[in-house]
Amino acid sequence: MLALVKSAPGPGLDLAEVPAPEIGINDVLIRVHRTGICGTDLHIDAWDAWAAKTIVPPLVIGHEFVGEIVAIGSNVNDYAIGDLVSGEGHVVCGRCRHCLAGRRNLCAHTVGLGVGRDGAFAEYVALPMSNVWHHARGIDEDVAAIFDPFGNAVHTALAFPVLGEDVLVSGAGPIGLMATAVVRHAGARFVVVSEPNAARREIASRMGATVVVDPGAQDLREVAAALGMVEGFDVALEMSGNATALRTALSAMAHGGSIAILGIPTAEIPIDVNEIVFKMLTLRGIYGREMYETWYKMTVMLQSGLDISPAITHRFPFREHRAAFAAARDGGAGQVILDWTA
Ligand code: NAD
Ligand code: ZN
């Protein structure tokens, strides 16, 4: 099969012929239809310090995908050939305290699809049946392809109740854009999106932001006051990984507010802990998706009118992967989709 492979340490990816994955008795084999490009894939392509210490080549990369089941292991039930599915990219151990208690997203021994095992930027991908999600009939396959980052957005956006609350979204990358639509759908009053990139601010407006803010040019507290917010933000979603963004959010929170932190900083962030103590804030780290409550919520919110499609800005056939990665690297893009059937 053809796959996008990190063949050796160093920058770049090769579209190469590799053996199709073999499946065990508990696995399914999936013919990949479409995939989404994630920041992780850009790190692996560029071979930065994180990639150099994490990735062991040769590796088929990629973890955001939708496809069709073409083979099932002898022990697999509930899945059949022809089913349209996506995969949860965190393959958990199944044996630790949290896994045994059903809190699989808290497993400390997770192996990442396209990071620690061969991934989905390929014509075929194999996964344990416990990592497979059935799509509802009629779903748009571009949307189905990005259930992984959509799940990051939903997990973060629903970490704290937002009904009637004023929400700050820091960072309007693909995940912040989707989270904007989710908190709007979930009944937030004001959704203020802070993002330095003008093209992304424009998409955020279309995804339901009440106001978009350029953090370099506008003061968040002045924007909040102009909206009539008296106390500050009730909930903030940190989706930038940026130090200034986190510190700005801390200073703009209402007493008793909550911050869900998804963004991954590249260095330590000094913060004023007095802000947390005296405002009695709650900070929570978010990693991955809840298995499978987040997946359920994604499916039913789409069925109840949530539209995340404006977050998808580019589509390429897989052979044009270089152009697709260049688009994904551009600071103004939303989600970039690769079509593996073309
Ligand atoms: P992205 O890099 O495309 O988006 C981040 C956005 O933050 C960019 O648009 C950038 O312009 C903006 N930004 C930079 N400085 C800012 C500032 N001072 N204020 C406000 N915005 C600012 O990333 P993404 O793919 O949308 O992912 C969002 C974040 O979540 C990234 O940090 C990513 O590494 C992280 N992530 C975490 C998980 C997890 O499970 N925890 C999973 C996927 C991604
Ligand atoms: Zn575990």
Side-chain angles (χ1 to χ4, degrees):
M1 67 170 186
L2 283 168
L4 259 188
V5 184
K6 174 63 79 180
S7 314
L13 295 167
D14 301 312
L15 186 61
E17 193 71 44
V18 298
E22 288 179 9
I23 57 168
I25 61 169
N26 291 313
D27 299 337
V28 302
L29 185 68
I30 299 158
R31 171 70 173 99
V32 176
H33 289 181
R34 296 179 205 181
T35 59
I37 298 176
C38 169
T40 303
D41 306 316
L42 302 179
H43 291 298
I44 299 173
D45 177 23
W47 202 249
D48 61 11
W50 170 84
K53 78 165 192 287
T54 312
I55 305 298
V56 183
L59 179 81
V60 176
I61 75 156
H63 55 275
E64 304 175 0
F65 76 94
V66 63
E68 178 189 345
I69 294 183
V70 290
I72 58 173
S74 59
N75 199 37
V76 172
N77 40 41
D78 298 335
Y79 294 97
I81 289 168
D83 287 353
L84 189 74
V85 296
S86 284
E88 164 55 60
H90 289 181
V91 179
V92 301
C93 78
R95 293 180 185 83
C96 70
R97 172 189 176 176
H98 288 303
C99 281
L100 289 174
R103 299 183 294 260
R104 286 181 279 181
N105 57 299
L106 295 181
C107 178
H109 315 285
T110 302
V111 177
L113 184 68
V115 176
R117 57 184 280 155
D118 279 333
F121 288 179
E123 291 180 287
Y124 296 93
V125 63
L127 270 175
M129 62 175 157
S130 53
N131 276 69
V132 177
W133 181 258
H134 262 141
H135 282 297
R137 220 175 274 280
I139 191 167
D140 173 348
E141 287 203 24
D142 284 344
V143 169
I146 57 168
F147 257 44
D148 175 296
F150 177 27
N152 294 137
V154 168
H155 189 184
T156 316
L158 302 185
F160 300 104
V162 294
L163 176 63
E165 305 289 18
D166 296 334
V167 180
L168 169 65
V169 179
S170 297
I175 300 179
L177 289 170
M178 290 186 273
T180 299
V182 173
V183 290
R184 172 56 74 211
H185 186 78
R189 179 174 68 159
F190 298 136
V191 185
V192 176
V193 178
S194 175
E195 164 61 52
N197 185 287
R200 285 183 163 176
R201 285 202 300 274
E202 193 275 317
I203 306 172
S205 296
R206 283 192 278 132
M207 299 206 71
T210 316
V211 182
V212 291
V213 176
D214 177 355
Q218 290 162 281
D219 184 315
L220 207 49
R221 278 169 301 187
E222 283 172 17
V223 172
L227 281 171
M229 287 169 52
V230 180
E231 309 274 353
F233 289 95
D234 306 298
V235 175
L237 312 180
E238 200 325 280
M239 305 196 137
S240 72
N242 181 278
T244 309
L246 178 60
R247 284 196 289 263
T248 307
L250 281 168
S251 70
M253 297 306 291
H255 280 214
S258 306
I259 308 182
I261 306 175
L262 178 92
I264 302 174
T266 50
E268 289 184 15
I269 299 181
I271 54 171
D272 182 358
V273 177
N274 284 293
E275 298 261 26
I276 301 172
V277 175
F278 292 113
K279 288 188 188 166
M280 296 158 280
L281 303 179
T282 303
L283 274 62
R284 185 196 291 183
I286 306 286
Y287 182 54
R289 299 142 296 278
E290 285 189 350
M291 299 164 210
Y292 279 85
E293 183 63 9
T294 306
W295 294 77
Y296 177 85
K297 288 274 172 60
M298 287 189 267
T299 298
V300 299
M301 284 193 291
L302 291 173
Q303 290 175 330
S304 60
L306 174 66
D307 181 14
I308 58 161
S309 60
I312 302 168
T313 55
H314 296 74
R315 296 164 177 84
F316 294 90
F318 73 96
R319 290 175 200 281
E320 294 174 27
H321 61 94
R322 288 207 174 82
F325 272 67
R329 228 175 261 293
D330 181 89
Q335 275 285 164
V336 177
I337 305 284
L338 283 176
D339 186 341
W340 287 83
T341 63

